[in-house]
Amino acid sequence: MEEQPIIIKRKKKVVGGHHGGSWKVAFADFATAMMAFFLVLWLTATASPEQKRAVEGYFRDPVGFTEGGSPNPVDLEGSASVVQEASPDIESSQIQIEDQVVDELSETLEKRRMEELFQELKERIEQNETLQEFKDQLLIDITDEGLRIQIVDRSGRPMFDSGRAELKYYSQDILFELAKTLGSVDNKLSITGHTDATPFSGRPGYTNWELSADRANTARRALVAGGVRPGQIARVVGLSDSVLFNKEDPTAPVNRRISIIVLNKKTADSIQSSAGRSDEPLIDLTKPTEEEQKAARKRLENGEWRQEKPQPAPGELNW
C-alpha cells in the first residue's frame, strides 16, 4: 500500500488595523456638547422673561450691553455660582487734589507756555527782516508778571522824537510785527511807558509823567492796529523816570522805552480784583451836591450851556 503524502495547509489570519483612541476624544466632545445643551435648556426653562431679554441683549452686543436688572446675564437665585454684587475690574476712586497743588501745577503750565512764547518770539526775530534789523532794541525776559518785551531807544535811533508821543516809522513796524504773535495768545497785555531823567520843558503843566503815559497809549494803538484785540489790553501805564533801566546813567537813551508784558493769569486776576468793585461802602466824590444840581438845572433852563467858551491863550492850561 502506497503511502499518502501529508499535505499541511496554513491559513493566514488577517486582523484589522489598530484604530487608536481618536473615537474617545470625539465621544467626549459630543458628551460635553450634549451636557451644555441640556444645561442651556434647563436654564432657559427656569429663567424669567426679564432674564431671557437680558441674555438676548448681551449676546447681541456683548461689549456695549448696559441694560438689564442684574449685573449677571442669568441670575440663578441661590445657586452656589451666583455673584450677588459684581465688582468692576478697576475700582472707581475720587482723587482729591489740594488747592495748593492745583495752583502749583497751573503756575508750572503757565511758565512753560511763557517759555514757549519766548522761543517763538526769538525765532520770529531771527526770521523777520524788520525785527532782525532792530533786534538790538528788543529786550525779552520772563518776570514774575509774565513775559516782558522792552523796546528801548538806541543812540541815533529813538522810538519817538524828543518830547513827542508820535512813533517813528520803524518803531511802528516793530510793534506791528510783534502784534502778530501777541495777538495769537489768550493772555492779557500790559503796556508801560518810561522816560529818562531829563525834565520835560516843552509846555507848562506837561511833564515826563504825561509824556510816558501818552507814549504807552500810542504803543497800544499801534498794537491794536497790528492785530492785538482791544479787549486783550489789561493795563496802560506811564511811569516817567521812576523805574530806570540804567540807574547809573539816568539820562541814557536806554531808559526811554516801552515795556509790553504778556501777563500770566495770576497777575491778570490781581489787576481785575484790585480794580474791581469791593463790598465795602464807597464815598462817591464825583456825585454833585444839591446846590450844584440846582445850578446845573438853572443853566440848562436858561440856555447858558449853548454859549461858546473862550479858547485859552497860548501858554495857559486847559485841564
Side-chain angles (χ1 to χ4, degrees):
M1 183 177 185
E2 295 181 358
E3 294 182 357
Q4 296 291 329
I6 300 173
I7 299 173
I8 301 174
K9 295 182 179 181
R10 291 188 175 93
K11 293 182 180 181
K12 189 176 181 180
K13 187 177 181 180
V14 180
V15 182
H18 181 67
H19 295 285
S22 60
W23 67 273
K24 299 178 183 179
V25 177
F27 181 76
D29 292 341
F30 173 75
T32 304
M34 292 301 297
M35 182 178 65
F37 176 70
F38 285 112
L39 181 62
V40 170
L41 292 178
W42 173 67
L43 292 174
T44 305
T46 59
S48 63
E50 292 79 8
Q51 292 171 342
K52 293 179 181 178
R53 285 195 295 268
V55 174
E56 179 184 1
Y58 175 80
F59 280 102
R60 286 185 177 181
D61 186 12
V63 177
F65 178 71
T66 57
E67 297 180 358
S70 172
N72 304 302
V74 179
D75 188 359
L76 300 181
E77 297 180 356
S79 173
S81 61
V82 172
V83 179
Q84 296 294 341
E85 182 176 353
S87 59
D89 295 337
I90 301 176
E91 294 184 359
S92 59
S93 61
Q94 296 181 354
I95 301 176
Q96 296 182 354
I97 303 178
E98 296 181 358
D99 294 341
Q100 182 180 359
V101 178
V102 174
D103 294 340
E104 292 177 356
L105 291 174
S106 178
E107 291 179 2
T108 302
L109 291 175
E110 190 134 34
K111 185 177 180 181
R112 185 179 302 172
R113 288 178 57 196
M114 292 298 174
E115 293 174 352
E116 293 175 354
L117 182 59
F118 177 81
Q119 295 297 329
E120 183 179 349
L121 284 172
K122 285 181 60 178
E123 293 176 0
R124 178 174 287 273
I125 292 172
E126 294 297 331
Q127 298 173 2
N128 188 276
E129 295 181 359
T130 301
L131 298 179
Q132 181 70 21
E133 183 179 356
F134 301 101
K135 68 177 183 179
D136 61 333
Q137 293 185 246
L138 294 172
L139 306 174
I140 307 176
D141 60 348
I142 297 178
T143 67
D144 293 338
E145 291 188 334
L147 178 67
R148 179 175 60 183
I149 307 166
Q150 298 186 88
I151 311 173
V152 302
D153 282 1
R154 291 297 184 187
S155 180
R157 213 165 47 186
M159 285 191 67
F160 303 87
D161 286 327
S162 178
R164 307 284 295 180
E166 291 78 16
L167 285 165
K168 304 286 281 186
Y169 70 92
Y170 49 81
S171 301
Q172 178 176 289
D173 293 340
I174 294 175
L175 290 172
F176 280 1
E177 292 298 331
L178 291 176
K180 295 177 182 178
T181 301
L182 299 180
S184 63
V185 300
D186 297 330
N187 300 66
K188 297 283 188 177
L189 302 180
S190 171
I191 306 173
T192 306
H194 301 269
T195 66
D196 58 19
T198 304
F200 181 82
S201 57
R203 50 179 166 149
Y206 194 89
T207 65
N208 282 338
W209 288 99
E210 287 79 14
L211 180 62
S212 61
D214 289 344
R215 288 180 173 179
N217 205 28
T218 300
R220 177 194 63 82
R221 288 193 291 267
L223 288 173
V224 171
V228 172
R229 302 180 302 277
Q232 197 175 352
I233 307 297
R235 181 174 63 191
V236 180
V237 184
L239 294 182
S240 184
D241 60 341
S242 61
V243 183
L244 296 173
F245 187 86
N246 187 355
K247 297 181 180 179
E248 297 180 357
D249 187 2
T251 60
V254 73
N255 291 317
R256 302 188 295 267
R257 65 198 189 278
I258 294 294
S259 297
I260 305 169
I261 303 178
V262 183
L263 299 173
N264 53 38
K265 188 176 184 301
K266 181 178 179 181
T267 306
D269 292 343
S270 177
I271 294 174
Q272 291 291 332
S273 60
S274 61
R277 183 176 178 179
S278 63
D279 296 333
E280 298 179 359
L282 302 176
I283 300 176
D284 189 0
L285 300 179
T286 63
K287 184 178 181 180
T289 62
E290 188 176 350
E291 295 179 357
E292 290 175 341
Q293 292 179 2
K294 291 180 179 180
R297 190 178 297 107
K298 183 178 179 181
R299 289 194 299 270
L300 181 63
E301 292 174 353
N302 58 26
E304 291 181 7
W305 59 276
R306 297 181 181 177
Q307 299 177 4
E308 296 184 1
K309 297 182 180 180
Q311 296 294 327
E316 291 184 357
L317 299 180
N318 183 16
W319 300 105

